Amino acid sequence: MIDVQHLSKNFDDLEVIKDVSFHINQGDIFGIIGQSGAGKSTLLRCLNGLEPYQKGTVIVDGHDVGNLSKKELNEVRKEMGMIFQSFNLLNRLNVYDNVALPLQFWKQKKNSPENKAKIEHLLDLVGLTDKAKSYPRELSGGQQQRVAIARALVLDPKILLCDEATSALDPMITKDILSLLLKINEEMGITIVVVTHQMEVVKQICNKVAFLKNGKILSVGKPEELFVAPNDEIQKFVGDDVEFLPKEGTNIKLFFTDTNSSSHTITELARALNIDFDICQGKLENFRAGIMGSLIINVKDEDKERVFHYLTEKEVLWEEI
């Protein structure tokens, strides 16, 4: 659905996107994560042509975004809905009219039978049927973001771009919005691209994620691959440092992924090898694909080779730390 190759973007002499490449398949919920200033929002705006770029290519549904006329680019943007952190609703318009606004930009009648039915369906989808005549000032932040989502869907896009869409919301409302995005993806088959600095967003809904730092992509993969067994850069970002470990014996970190997270690895290890060990630190997290995480154990030095062999034989990902 989206293919980005060797993309570079400058603001005058400042290079903010540096030789970035990745692809997004149809139906993905693709996360772009990184700290503030990493270039996430600029990268997102390159996808729909809101930001021109100096090098590389952006292919969206077969269209080369960088080589389109203004009319052609507008047609591509029509298939790419966008929601923002600040909601961007018009306070003078009620909920129904805010949702209908893109239709009017495209010279369509908001109250035609077809469009009226579409808007009412979208308001039902986002749970705001009873708020059609309300104004933004009368709504909570979560309700306003639901209006923005309905508005982004009114032109039947193939892609939904989300720029820090939950950053202004509290954790419970964030969870509701993420559930709604997941529902939209599953029921409507819309590809979703999520720019965020919130780890929970990526864990809850994304099936693939790119980690961006200083305009460069350092890693691309499944969230559980990046965050269950993170490299040094991602470890710094998530604050997953190990502080206190025994100085005697051997410390081993085990990683539980979708292939072994439901097994009884630890109890089986103790029984099979007839050894004792200490559990030093553990963390299990809820990813979209299930419960995954890591565990640090401390074994006696004389037992470590047997433990290494056992874990390798059972195809458990591990490292000595």
Side-chain angles (χ1 to χ4, degrees):
M1 182 58 77
I2 299 174
D3 187 49
V4 177
Q5 293 295 327
H6 304 293
L7 182 69
S8 295
K9 162 69 181 175
N10 300 337
F11 288 115
D12 296 325
D13 295 330
L14 179 64
E15 189 177 22
V16 293
I17 303 295
K18 306 172 184 177
D19 195 26
V20 162
S21 297
F22 61 90
H23 70 271
I24 301 173
N25 295 325
Q26 182 176 354
D28 277 348
I29 302 183
F30 189 95
I32 301 174
I33 193 168
Q35 295 175 331
S36 297
K40 305 185 301 296
S41 294
T42 300
L43 176 56
L44 191 74
R45 290 167 64 87
C46 288
L47 299 186
N48 65 357
L50 287 176
E51 288 287 352
Y53 45 88
Q54 283 68 45
K55 296 179 182 178
T57 58
V58 176
I59 309 296
V60 177
D61 196 22
H63 303 283
D64 187 344
V65 171
N67 289 304
L68 298 177
S69 66
K70 185 175 181 180
K71 182 179 179 181
E72 291 170 333
L73 184 57
N74 283 337
E75 289 291 337
V76 172
R77 286 176 181 161
K78 187 178 180 181
E79 296 186 349
M80 304 176 75
M82 193 161 185
I83 58 175
F84 305 88
Q85 177 181 352
S86 57
F87 318 135
N88 286 11
L89 303 179
L90 295 185
N91 290 322
R92 62 183 177 82
L93 300 181
N94 63 28
V95 167
Y96 182 98
D97 289 341
N98 264 289
V99 175
L101 201 56
L103 294 170
Q104 294 179 276
F105 284 150
W106 285 89
K107 311 299 181 183
Q108 298 185 34
K109 294 182 179 179
K110 65 179 182 181
N111 290 321
S112 69
E114 180 182 356
N115 285 335
K116 187 173 185 294
K118 179 188 290 187
I119 294 169
E120 289 174 351
H121 168 71
L122 289 173
L123 289 177
D124 179 61
L125 176 70
V126 301
L128 292 177
T129 298
D130 60 336
K131 300 293 184 181
K133 300 302 180 184
S134 299
Y135 288 84
R137 63 180 177 273
E138 300 171 318
L139 305 178
S140 68
Q143 289 172 328
Q144 290 186 56
Q145 193 59 289
R146 287 173 179 269
V147 176
I149 292 171
R151 180 185 59 190
L153 296 175
V154 77
L155 293 177
D156 301 316
K158 296 179 180 179
I159 300 166
L160 186 60
L161 305 178
C162 306
D163 191 3
E164 298 283 7
T166 60
S167 295
L169 307 175
D170 67 44
M172 286 303 298
I173 296 176
T174 292
K175 187 176 180 180
D176 290 342
I177 294 297
L178 295 180
S179 295
L180 175 59
L181 292 175
L182 193 57
K183 180 181 179 181
I184 289 167
N185 170 259
E186 292 175 346
E187 295 185 4
M188 304 175 71
I190 294 177
T191 303
I192 300 178
V193 185
V194 179
V195 157
T196 184
H197 65 272
Q198 297 173 296
M199 285 293 304
E200 290 308 311
V201 172
V202 170
K203 292 174 184 176
Q204 287 185 38
I205 67 170
C206 294
N207 68 313
K208 198 172 181 183
V209 60
F211 179 63
L212 195 68
K213 181 178 181 181
N214 297 329
K216 294 182 178 180
I217 286 185
L218 301 185
S219 299
V220 179
K222 295 179 180 179
E224 57 269 27
E225 293 173 345
L226 267 61
F227 300 120
V228 170
N231 61 30
D232 290 342
E233 289 291 347
I234 297 176
Q235 200 167 53
K236 291 176 185 177
F237 176 73
V238 302
D240 192 24
D241 294 328
V242 179
E243 295 183 2
F244 303 106
L245 290 176
K247 295 182 179 180
E248 297 181 354
T250 300
N251 298 305
I252 308 170
K253 188 171 187 179
L254 289 66
F255 302 101
F256 297 95
T257 63
D258 53 353
T259 59
N260 67 353
S261 59
S262 61
S263 67
H264 304 288
T265 304
I266 295 301
T267 54
E268 290 175 356
L269 168 65
R271 290 170 183 164
L273 301 184
N274 192 27
I275 63 172
D276 296 321
F277 54 81
D278 295 321
I279 296 176
C280 306
Q281 181 176 308
K283 180 176 68 173
L284 291 176
E285 297 182 281
N286 186 10
F287 288 84
R288 179 181 178 182
I291 303 298
M292 303 174 201
S294 60
L295 186 71
I296 299 175
I297 63 174
N298 177 267
V299 304
K300 296 177 182 178
D301 287 336
E302 58 263 33
D303 294 328
K304 70 176 183 179
E305 293 301 331
R306 288 198 298 150
V307 172
F308 293 164
H309 177 75
Y310 179 88
L311 294 174
T312 302
E313 188 178 61
K314 296 296 183 179
E315 298 182 344
V316 177
L317 184 63
W318 63 273
E319 67 178 4
E320 182 178 358
I321 60 174

